[in-house]
Amino acid sequence: MAGARAAIRYAKAVLSLASDRKTADAVNADMKLIASTIAESKDLNDALQSPVISASVKKAVLLEVFKKADKTTLSLIDTLVTNNRIAILGDVASKYTQLFDESKGIQVATVTTAIPLTDALKQKVLAKAKELTGKDIEVKSIVDESILGGFILRVGDIQYNASIANQLSKLKREFSIN
């Protein structure tokens, strides 16, 4: 819990600094890359979490992996290493992109489908989500074969479940009550 609060504080500070420097968009791109790289690379995540690996080695690895990053992003890495908080870098990056989107009035809609979304379907989901919220929407697609078919749309606190698995579950509950 303390790590999550710290991640939010660092993310707010970096967003403020990047906004002052007029590099918020570049830093947002860096943060998306950092968040996805850490999430997808078990080895990198394990290295950042490891108490055995020294902070200087972690810093050297991060600077090599993200060498094309904006200087504000590199400053964040340096600060996290100095403050012995480099393990929360992935969380800071995720929170930064969330705060950045909020500051731009963009909301993220998560669409879970059994198969990858086509571009045409993605545009329909985008239009429907924008109609529901009245905000600019960014679609994040997740493939989960366990829903069998249909989709689950989540925008903020609103969830619309039109999956086949959900419909089958409702039918099962109806028949088990009688």
Side-chain angles (χ1 to χ4, degrees):
M1 187 60 140
R5 286 194 309 262
I8 292 169
R9 285 194 306 270
Y10 279 106
K12 284 180 180 178
V14 172
L15 180 59
S16 176
L17 182 62
S19 296
D20 291 348
R21 292 180 176 176
K22 309 264 190 277
T23 60
D25 291 324
V27 173
N28 187 47
D30 292 344
M31 293 299 167
K32 283 182 178 179
L33 177 65
I34 289 170
S36 66
T37 303
I38 292 173
E40 292 169 7
S41 173
K42 183 177 178 348
D43 291 339
L44 180 58
N45 188 34
D46 289 347
L48 292 176
Q49 302 301 320
S50 175
V52 177
I53 299 172
S54 73
S56 59
V57 171
K58 292 177 187 180
K59 181 179 177 182
V61 167
L62 289 169
L63 293 179
E64 184 60 32
V65 172
F66 304 112
K67 57 184 158 200
K68 293 184 180 175
D70 186 85
K71 69 179 183 180
T72 305
T73 304
L74 298 176
S75 258
L76 170 67
I77 292 170
D78 191 44
T79 302
L80 290 173
V81 167
T82 303
N83 295 343
N84 207 15
R85 293 289 210 155
I86 198 63
I88 66 169
L89 177 61
D91 293 336
V92 173
S94 297
K95 294 293 181 192
Y96 179 93
T97 57
Q98 184 182 354
L99 292 169
F100 179 82
D101 288 345
E102 287 173 13
S103 74
K104 297 289 185 187
I106 299 171
Q107 193 158 12
V108 177
T110 306
V111 181
T112 306
T113 55
I115 58 172
L117 280 178
T118 63
D119 286 338
L121 190 56
K122 196 172 193 176
Q123 291 305 318
K124 285 182 183 178
V125 169
L126 200 62
K128 187 65 178 175
K130 187 171 185 173
E131 179 185 312
L132 289 171
T133 62
K135 294 183 177 181
D136 287 338
I137 299 290
E138 183 177 302
V139 175
K140 178 181 173 190
S141 181
I142 299 173
V143 176
D144 180 3
E145 295 172 2
S146 70
I147 69 168
L148 303 176
F151 65 93
I152 301 170
L153 174 64
R154 184 171 188 80
V155 182
D157 293 340
I158 303 166
Q159 178 171 311
Y160 179 72
N161 191 339
S163 67
I164 302 296
N166 185 49
Q167 293 171 8
L168 290 172
S169 177
K170 283 181 183 177
L171 278 174
K172 183 178 176 183
R173 283 194 303 267
E174 281 183 30
F175 285 121
S176 65
I177 290 174
N178 295 330

